[in-house]
Amino acid sequence: MVKLKTKVAFVTGCNGISGNAIVEHLIRTPKTEWSKIIITSRRPLSAYWQDPRIEFIALDYLSPVSELIEQQKEICKDVTHAFFTSYVHVNDFKLLKEKNVPLFANFLDSLDAVAPNLENVCLQTGGKHYGVHLGPVKCPVEESMPRYDDKGENFYYVQEDHLFALQKKRTWSHNIIRPHAIIGFTPHSNGMSEAITMALYFLICREIGAPATFPGNRTFYNTVDDQSYAPGIADMSVWASTSPQCKNEDFVHVNGDVIMWRYFWPAIGAHFGLEIPEPVFTATGESGTHMENNFSMIDWAKDKKPYWEAVCKKYGGNPDAFDWGTWGFFDWSIGKTWPTLGTNNKARKYGWTRVDDTYESWIETFKSFELAGILPKSSVIRAETKTVALRDLCQ
């Protein structure tokens, strides 16, 4: 009998949103396709997958390459496909370079030294590649756009250049996946999590009886936006890394639909049993060039932890999850005064067909947090809201 060649995956950042999603994607594939799934993170494993193919190793890619080679030489010797999603987050973009450049370089150099069967390296970066975090850009952003003048600050460029230089000397190929705002589940804190932050905000507003008004500006409230669902990013990453026509290509990832916060914000509020009032904006966003927020989520959150603890006591949930709120990142996400749309056109031309409904992706993400005991069950909260409304109506 001829033994079929199988693939061996290596996923970094498995405790993060994207890494977690790639692992979830791979465990749904047959063993005849992926025979082993090696996963790593700096922190201890936070999720437990009932799949015998998984092997976990704790690695800190800020360690010297010589140490990493020694740690990986046995467990990673059969790796064929590597998915790099590791990321060190700080709110100061200039400081991101200090950590994330060596983080990727050490990963790539150490893995390349111990994995003679390596076929593909898939690097995840993001929309900051196109400068969407700095101000207005051409929309939709797409792969043929040139790099902007980053003054040497964009660590994505340095990561890519290191990847390109080493790949030219090797037989393995590469891919770069650039998602927009990522929506997805992770079982603990993450540097950029819109979903858990919004859930905290809505549930606390409900607890204290305050209107859950939109914290951004009027312009962005009425602007078309798009997002990236982590399972969809995982699907694109695995597809690109295993499709011959995609060798050495980069791809923007977005869900394939668009939202407008004017309608999306109250829809998410309704999921938590809230009626959202029309906001009164002091921040108009008319400049179109710099950030504007009606109020700062960082300031709003300063004294709100006791209210989250009260929510958890009444309905369930993890009291520590309040500290997972990424308030500064959320200020940026909805404080922009310019659109940041992307397009999947290139991926479509190469054969990728997946589309994710953005509203459904948020609801599915909330459900995952509920199942993990991190958020209370929204169905219970909505039922209580309805009961209270009926009681008030009868009085």
Side-chain angles (χ1 to χ4, degrees):
M1 180 181 291
V2 178
K3 186 177 181 180
L4 296 176
K5 184 180 179 182
T6 59
K7 297 182 282 290
V8 176
F10 183 46
V11 184
T12 78
C14 68
N15 281 327
I17 295 175
S18 294
N20 180 282
I22 291 175
V23 177
E24 286 287 322
H25 182 94
L26 291 171
I27 64 174
R28 288 163 172 77
T29 62
K31 294 178 182 179
T32 52
E33 183 177 352
W34 296 91
S35 60
K36 189 182 293 185
I37 305 165
I38 304 163
I39 62 178
T40 183
S41 182
R42 286 177 300 156
R43 293 183 282 191
L45 194 61
S46 297
Y48 299 92
W49 290 281
Q50 294 180 343
D51 190 312
R53 292 175 293 176
I54 288 182
E55 294 186 31
F56 173 75
I57 179 173
L59 294 170
D60 182 354
Y61 282 115
L62 293 178
S63 300
V65 172
S66 58
E67 293 181 12
L68 292 166
I69 289 174
E70 188 65 26
Q71 291 174 289
Q72 295 174 107
K73 65 181 182 180
E74 184 59 32
I75 194 171
C76 291
K77 64 182 181 181
D78 297 323
V79 168
T80 60
H81 293 73
F83 301 91
F84 183 85
T85 70
S86 300
Y87 177 73
V88 177
H89 181 72
V90 290
N91 285 328
D92 187 336
F93 189 73
K94 294 180 181 179
L95 298 180
L96 285 172
K97 184 177 179 180
E98 296 179 9
K99 298 291 186 182
N100 288 287
V101 166
L103 193 76
F104 178 69
N106 293 353
F107 151 78
L108 187 62
D109 293 348
S110 61
L111 181 66
D112 178 71
V114 303
N117 299 318
L118 190 62
E119 296 179 19
N120 181 272
V121 175
C122 184
L123 166 65
Q124 179 179 303
T125 60
K128 293 186 184 74
H129 177 92
Y130 302 103
V132 299
H133 57 300
L134 298 175
V137 296
K138 171 185 171 291
C139 280
V141 299
E142 41 85 20
E143 296 82 356
S144 65
M145 290 172 63
R147 292 179 176 181
Y148 69 91
D149 181 10
D150 70 321
K151 313 299 182 185
E153 294 176 1
N154 195 323
F155 70 89
Y156 288 161
Y157 296 168
V158 186
Q159 288 181 333
E160 288 184 1
D161 288 343
H162 189 74
L163 177 67
F164 299 154
L166 187 57
Q167 187 272 328
K168 287 179 180 178
K169 304 174 185 178
R170 302 291 188 264
T171 58
W172 48 261
S173 62
H174 73 262
N175 291 108
I176 299 169
I177 308 299
R178 301 190 186 108
H180 281 207
I182 300 174
I183 305 305
F185 170 78
T186 182
H188 59 71
S189 62
N190 183 271
M192 297 182 290
S193 180
E194 282 191 79
I196 195 69
T197 305
M198 269 182 67
L200 290 168
Y201 176 67
F202 281 127
L203 288 168
I204 291 172
C205 283
R206 181 183 183 278
E207 174 66 17
I208 63 180
T213 54
F214 185 74
N217 59 76
R218 184 171 62 205
T219 295
F220 200 69
Y221 188 65
N222 292 293
T223 295
V224 174
D225 198 12
D226 59 15
Q227 299 186 323
S228 291
Y229 188 29
I233 301 169
D235 185 80
M236 174 181 277
S237 299
V238 175
W239 162 79
S241 68
T242 57
S243 299
Q245 76 275 18
C246 296
K247 285 184 177 180
N248 304 326
E249 297 290 344
D250 55 347
F251 296 101
V252 170
H253 179 278
V254 288
N255 283 343
D257 67 354
V258 294
I259 63 169
M260 183 178 285
W261 285 99
R262 164 179 286 280
Y263 307 108
F264 189 71
W265 186 264
I268 297 298
H271 176 73
F272 293 106
L274 292 170
E275 290 188 13
I276 307 299
E278 184 71 16
V280 177
F281 287 107
T282 56
T284 65
E286 292 175 355
S287 69
T289 58
H290 60 270
M291 306 290 298
E292 291 184 39
N293 294 79
N294 238 23
F295 60 89
S296 165
M297 291 287 274
I298 294 176
D299 293 339
W300 176 89
K302 285 179 179 178
D303 61 350
K304 298 301 189 298
K305 188 170 184 177
Y307 300 108
W308 173 247
E309 292 170 345
V311 170
C312 294
K313 188 174 181 179
K314 289 181 183 178
Y315 307 107
N318 184 348
D320 294 334
F322 181 83
D323 298 324
W324 305 359
T326 53
W327 311 106
F329 172 68
F330 199 73
D331 275 343
W332 174 83
S333 296
I334 58 174
K336 300 186 293 293
T337 58
W338 57 89
T340 57
L341 294 174
T343 175
N344 287 328
N345 280 350
K346 179 180 177 180
R348 300 282 183 248
K349 292 175 182 177
Y350 277 74
W352 191 66
T353 59
R354 176 164 175 156
V355 175
D356 285 293
D357 181 290
T358 295
Y359 175 77
E360 290 179 1
S361 74
W362 278 75
I363 301 307
E364 290 172 6
T365 299
F366 292 141
K367 181 66 173 179
S368 295
F369 280 116
E370 292 176 16
L371 290 172
I374 296 166
L375 292 178
K377 290 184 176 181
S378 56
S379 58
V380 173
I381 290 172
R382 289 194 302 273
E384 183 186 83
T385 301
K386 185 179 292 186
T387 299
V388 171
L390 288 172
R391 186 184 63 210
D392 291 344
L393 188 63
C394 295
Q395 288 180 348

